[in-house]
Amino acid sequence: MVDTGRYMTVNGKPFFILGGQVHNSSAYTRERMAPLWNTLVRMHANTAEVPVYWEQIEPVEGTFDFAIVDDLIAGAREHGLKLILLWFGTWKNGTMKYAPGWMKLQPERFRRVITPEGQSLPVLSPHCQATLEADKRAVCALLDHLKQVDNTERTVIMLQIENEPGSHGSERDFSQEGNTLFAAEVPESLTVVLPAARSALRRIWEEHGARIKGSWQEVFGRQAPEIFTAWSVARYIDEIAAAGKVVYDLPMYVNVWLGEQGFRLAGYDYPSGGAVSQVIDVWKAAAPHIDLLAPDIYFADADHFCQLCDTYSRADNPLFIPECGLWPATARLMFYAIARYNAIGIAPFGIDGLIDEDGNVIESCVALLESFAATRAILPLLPVYQGTGRLHAIVQEEGVREQYIKLDGYTALVQFGVSWYGRQLPAGGASEASRGRGLLIQVGPKEFYVTGVGFTVYIRPTGDFHRFLYKNRWQGSFDAWLMVEAGHFEGEQWVVDERRAGDETDYGLIMATPGQAVHAVFE
Ligand code: DGJ
């Protein structure tokens, strides 16, 4: 198991995943991947999320070919990146897209999910032992290969088992086998956790009489098909993870196609059985070998984004966002995930199109790159200060002009869009891409790091404001800095780019250069 404390560790050290995921079919060949490594480097990422296709590594049943995996590891190493491999196996977005041809062509042996009308879906059934055994064998073979080629260097830091698993097109498998299992008793290992379940699961259970014994329908009523499918999919994946960890103990997670959309109908608006909000506790009970349940958050508004961060950051589940939009909203929302929800990592999806044909970053991604540069500038501080109350998100939502932050003995006033000196910063309510955002960390009684772009910050001793307010705050008030320097971390080392004093601090700590953080010590 990963240390499911707040941090991911790599070679014994805390590691924040600043990642990017390639498009689904980009990893079939080394040639297709070739330009993407540089894209990730230009993005300031430290980790690549790349799929491994079951159909490619086991083209003939029982015969494995890991040449492409070796290419991926070599590509990552050459570019100083870590790798998260995404196992596109039994499930890809609640269907069977990347299952091998030999499996797709034998539906009697590798059974499908059947709808209530008796229609067979392109979804492999979680109740089919033959499919489970085949997937388990393939994952174990992959892990055995990783053990041989990567045990020392540990370029691969995590394995995503399956991709957005669940059943798309039906709430559950209505095959004869599925019906028999559905009519059976809910396992005690699930019912015992229900009284303490945190998610909506407990409410659903209580509404149906809080029964400890009974069939799925009796215990969970209308939502029984989804809960039953979640249990079945989670048990299936857990069996693969458990066997895989015996071969090579790599952290493993399952990503989630979230349920908070449309009419929220399991099997229709999202794959039924995935680890959506209301069944997190089902997954936790059924899949103890899975280290993380990781939401793919494609919401661009702070309310939804933060609500989901909150749901998935639990004592038993550190927040990891393996997919999110490659869009301007992520440029600011990522700072909530880092500072408020102690995320261990974030990776926007579909980085392939980030650089245009002329080698320039496409306009809609500039803000995201700036935020990645800002995060990279103070990266080693994140695992140290997350969860301590000393790491603060600076985020300019629409129309917001200032942010007031209470620190230990100090108060920070962040002004967006205001710089009376030197550079002009974006105004509050300006375009989403130009909104101010970043992080502020109090690392000592009088010592601070600030990173980000699009704002000026004043930091003053709490209750001592009058001393500084002989001018109004817009015109500068001569904060009593002992030392201010701008720079960035290279590995563990803080590198100073420039010193600041006089006009360059009297008008606040101006954050205008992405990738350049400020280290400031009060007198
Ligand atoms: C979520 C999936 O997990 C990804 O593989 C990809 O299909 C994206 N959706 C596309 O938006």
Side-chain angles (χ1 to χ4, degrees):
M1 297 286 284
V2 202
D3 165 23
T4 43
R6 283 190 305 276
Y7 314 119
M8 171 81 195
T9 54
V10 169
N11 298 333
K13 288 193 173 162
F15 185 84
F16 184 87
I17 299 162
L18 201 52
Q21 185 170 147
V22 302
H23 273 298
N24 288 169
S25 302
S26 305
Y28 272 111
T29 62
R30 176 210 300 232
E31 291 71 28
R32 228 156 137 179
M33 275 302 297
L36 303 181
W37 301 115
N38 279 329
T39 300
L40 286 154
V41 170
R42 277 187 71 179
M43 222 179 129
H44 311 282
N46 61 9
T47 305
E49 290 182 352
V50 184
V52 172
Y53 316 111
W54 188 2
E55 64 166 12
Q56 186 178 28
I57 63 139
E58 194 181 359
V60 174
E61 189 175 355
T63 304
F64 294 94
D65 177 356
F66 293 111
I68 188 69
V69 175
D70 294 342
D71 286 344
L72 295 177
I73 293 174
R77 285 182 186 165
E78 272 166 39
H79 293 82
L81 295 162
K82 293 291 180 190
L83 257 184
I84 293 177
L85 295 179
L86 318 174
W87 173 240
F88 284 12
T90 298
W91 288 285
K92 165 71 175 77
N93 304 15
T95 57
M96 52 181 270
K97 298 182 182 85
Y98 289 87
W102 50 262
M103 177 167 270
K104 289 176 177 166
L105 292 171
Q106 299 184 74
E108 299 78 25
R109 192 172 154 216
F110 304 108
R111 290 190 297 281
R112 310 278 177 91
V113 168
I114 306 296
T115 67
E117 298 77 32
Q119 189 199 348
S120 169
L121 294 173
V123 181
L124 291 160
S125 170
H127 314 307
C128 180
Q129 193 64 27
T131 318
L132 168 57
E133 292 303 331
D135 193 327
K136 196 197 313 179
R137 182 183 56 188
V139 169
C140 288
L142 171 64
L143 286 163
D144 185 51
H145 186 76
L146 293 179
K147 185 179 178 181
Q148 288 169 40
V149 299
D150 196 40
N151 194 14
T152 312
E153 210 155 321
R154 296 264 168 173
T155 298
V156 179
I157 57 170
M158 191 143 68
L159 179 67
Q160 176 186 295
I161 305 215
E162 314 297 344
N163 189 86
E164 295 186 343
S167 156
H168 211 63
S170 184
E171 256 185 317
R172 69 170 178 89
D173 178 6
F174 287 84
S175 66
Q176 209 174 24
E177 190 178 23
N179 291 342
T180 305
L181 290 167
F182 186 64
E185 289 236 319
V186 176
E188 202 188 325
S189 45
L190 176 56
T191 52
V192 292
V193 306
L194 295 173
R198 255 186 48 168
S199 58
L201 187 68
R202 194 166 101 211
R203 185 183 42 74
I204 295 166
W205 174 65
E206 285 171 351
E207 276 170 16
H208 286 88
R211 302 166 73 125
I212 290 294
K213 286 200 172 302
S215 70
W216 292 89
Q217 193 71 53
E218 286 165 348
V219 174
F220 296 112
R222 190 176 51 78
Q223 262 147 311
E226 179 182 13
I227 295 168
F228 162 73
T229 307
W231 177 263
S232 308
V233 173
R235 290 296 308 137
Y236 181 109
I237 293 180
D238 191 65
E239 195 172 322
I240 296 171
K245 286 191 174 196
V246 172
V247 177
Y248 185 49
D249 193 5
L250 208 57
M252 296 179 192
Y253 73 95
V254 171
N255 68 328
V256 186
W257 177 333
L258 295 169
E260 283 81 1
Q261 50 199 305
F263 284 104
R264 304 184 177 205
L265 290 179
Y268 302 95
D269 292 307
Y270 62 94
S272 180
V276 296
S277 307
Q278 68 266 26
V279 295
I280 291 176
D281 289 301
V282 176
W283 271 79
K284 286 290 170 189
H289 297 89
I290 293 297
D291 298 281
L292 306 171
L293 302 173
D296 294 344
I297 312 186
Y298 287 93
F299 287 102
D301 66 292
D303 281 355
H304 277 102
F305 186 91
C306 289
Q307 181 209 319
L308 286 155
C309 287
D310 189 43
T311 302
Y312 283 86
S313 59
R314 319 184 345 161
D316 59 357
N317 198 70
L319 176 66
F320 173 52
I321 305 175
E323 289 183 39
C324 58
L326 190 77
W327 50 42
T330 299
R332 74 175 198 287
L333 299 176
M334 61 184 279
F335 294 114
Y336 291 130
I338 292 171
R340 287 194 192 164
Y341 302 101
N342 305 322
I344 63 161
I346 185 161
F349 175 82
I351 56 101
D352 307 44
L354 198 125
I355 310 289
D356 70 16
E357 284 169 1
D358 301 323
N360 300 314
V361 176
I362 61 166
E363 206 184 318
S364 63
C365 290
V366 171
L368 184 57
L369 253 70
E370 290 174 350
S371 294
F372 264 50
T375 307
R376 192 76 194 240
I378 48 101
L379 205 60
L381 299 179
L382 296 186
V384 180
Y385 290 97
Q386 280 180 317
T388 63
R390 292 176 169 271
L391 169 63
H392 305 269
I394 292 173
V395 181
Q396 182 184 22
E397 293 300 344
E398 189 176 6
V400 171
R401 292 198 164 264
E402 336 184 302
Q403 189 177 335
Y404 173 87
I405 305 174
K406 285 190 90 153
L407 303 166
D408 182 7
Y410 287 79
T411 305
L413 175 65
V414 179
Q415 292 181 338
F416 299 109
V418 177
S419 172
W420 284 83
Y421 177 72
R423 290 158 275 207
Q424 194 58 41
L425 300 177
S431 78
E432 186 169 45
S434 61
R435 298 222 196 115
R437 70 276 180 192
L439 297 166
L440 187 158
I441 313 174
Q442 183 167 16
V443 298
K446 298 174 172 212
E447 191 178 354
F448 309 88
Y449 281 89
V450 186
T451 198
V453 65
F455 61 90
T456 299
V457 58
Y458 299 84
I459 302 174
R460 303 207 170 144
T462 302
D464 198 13
F465 293 110
H466 59 280
R467 194 152 75 85
F468 301 96
L469 293 178
Y470 62 90
K471 283 188 175 185
N472 76 45
R473 67 176 192 236
W474 303 98
Q475 288 171 330
S477 315
F478 308 148
D479 291 338
W481 292 114
L482 180 65
M483 188 276 303
V484 175
E485 55 193 17
H488 61 280
F489 277 92
E490 276 177 25
E492 307 283 303
Q493 197 64 39
W494 171 250
V495 177
V496 179
D497 300 337
E498 62 187 35
R499 280 292 286 251
R500 292 189 191 176
D503 285 349
E504 282 74 39
T505 55
D506 288 345
Y507 297 89
L509 306 177
I510 298 171
M511 305 305 297
T513 309
Q516 194 175 64
V518 165
H519 176 209
V521 184
F522 229 81
E523 71 183 26

